[in-house]
């Protein structure tokens, strides 16, 4: 292989300067979030989770399976009446049929309301570089937020009337 191709494939950096993959930990996720200036909180009741808000949507980051995967999960910032569950299931199914990620779903949250969620689980079993971890977090955030924006676009002015 032409060495210039290898350098190009590896992001323009010579192979000997490449960062080595390391196991993903919640501390590495926290460091990545801090590096971007993102505010987050640790959850005393769930020490394996970091919580944050992006575009006013609630997100959580969890490392599952002893570093096997990073899960980025977001919840839409509105609740819907239970009578809209079937409608929202159809919206989620359409999204899931047409896109690889995020996985989106409806969750019953009380006798009278449902919430919308999106999540991306990234395989980290072999370890990741800081750049790969950063991209996995970015992918989770941007794709889940894109789903929420699509829901808001479909609902139009009605969104302003919904509760949180």
């Amino acid at each position: 292989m032409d060495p210039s191709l290898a350098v190009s494939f590896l992001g323009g950096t010579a192979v000997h300067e490449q960062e080595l993959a390391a196991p993903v930990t919640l501390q590495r996720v926290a460091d990545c979030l801090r590096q971007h200036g993102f505010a987050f909180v640790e959850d005393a009741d769930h020490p394996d989770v970091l919580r944050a808000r992006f575009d006013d949507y609630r997100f959580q980051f969890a490392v599952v399976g002893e570093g096997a995967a990073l899960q980025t999960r977001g919840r839409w910032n509105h609740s819907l009446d239970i009578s809209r569950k079937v409608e929202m299931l159809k919206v989620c199914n359409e999204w899931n049929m047409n896109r690889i990620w995020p996985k989106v779903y409806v969750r019953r949250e009380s006798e009278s309301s449902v919430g919308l969620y999106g999540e991306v689980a990234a395989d980290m079993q072999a370890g990741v570089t800081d750049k790969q971890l950063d991209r996995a977090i970015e992918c989770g955030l941007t794709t889940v937020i894109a789903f929420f924006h699509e829901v808001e676009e479909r609902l139009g002015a009605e969104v302003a009337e919904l509760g949180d």
Side-chain angles (χ1 to χ4, degrees), residues 1 5 25 56 72 75 92 124 133-134 158:
M1 172 189 254
L5 292 176
T25 63
D56 205 32
T72 304
R75 185 199 183 279
C92 290
M124 305 275 161
L133 179 59
D134 184 60
E158 181 184 352

Side-chain angles (χ1 to χ4, degrees), residues 105-125:
Y105 53 96
V106 177
R107 181 176 171 188
R108 186 175 184 161
E109 296 184 332
S110 73
E111 291 298 315
S112 61
S113 69
V114 294
L116 298 178
Y117 291 80
E119 67 182 55
V120 173
D123 183 353
M124 305 275 161
Q125 186 69 41

Side-chain angles (χ1 to χ4, degrees), residues 12-29:
T13 305
V15 174
H16 67 278
E17 296 175 7
Q18 285 297 301
E19 178 185 5
L20 296 176
V24 68
T25 63
L26 207 56
Q27 182 60 52
R28 286 188 66 202
V29 174

Side-chain angles (χ1 to χ4, degrees), residues 20-163:
L20 296 176
V24 68
T25 63
L26 207 56
Q27 182 60 52
R28 286 188 66 202
V29 174
D31 292 344
C32 183
L33 294 172
R34 271 191 212 97
Q35 180 180 3
H36 290 287
F38 296 146
F40 63 90
V41 295
E42 296 177 10
D43 187 332
D45 294 330
H46 301 90
D48 56 340
V49 172
L50 298 176
R51 300 190 188 280
R53 283 194 178 263
F54 295 91
D55 285 358
D56 205 32
Y57 307 115
R58 292 181 289 179
F59 277 85
Q60 71 178 34
F61 303 91
V63 176
V64 295
E66 296 184 27
L70 169 66
Q71 181 187 62
T72 304
R73 177 186 296 163
R75 185 199 183 279
W76 191 42
N77 56 349
H78 298 285
S79 295
L80 293 160
D81 187 82
I82 195 78
S83 65
R84 311 241 357 227
K85 182 177 180 179
V86 172
E87 173 191 359
M88 291 299 111
L89 284 169
K90 289 178 181 178
V91 169
C92 290
N93 284 343
E94 180 183 320
W95 178 279
N96 289 331
M97 287 186 314
N98 293 316
R99 293 171 181 83
I100 297 171
W101 59 72
K103 171 183 78 176
V104 297
Y105 53 96
V106 177
R107 181 176 171 188
R108 186 175 184 161
E109 296 184 332
S110 73
E111 291 298 315
S112 61
S113 69
V114 294
L116 298 178
Y117 291 80
E119 67 182 55
V120 173
D123 183 353
M124 305 275 161
Q125 186 69 41
V128 292
T129 65
D130 288 344
K131 188 173 186 175
Q132 290 169 325
L133 179 59
D134 184 60
R135 288 195 179 183
I137 291 170
E138 178 185 9
C139 174
L141 291 172
T142 59
T143 59
V144 170
I145 290 171
F147 168 69
F148 296 155
H149 286 176
E150 182 165 313
V151 170
E152 290 163 358
E153 187 176 303
R154 285 180 179 217
L155 295 177
E158 181 184 352
V159 171
E161 299 170 14
L162 296 173

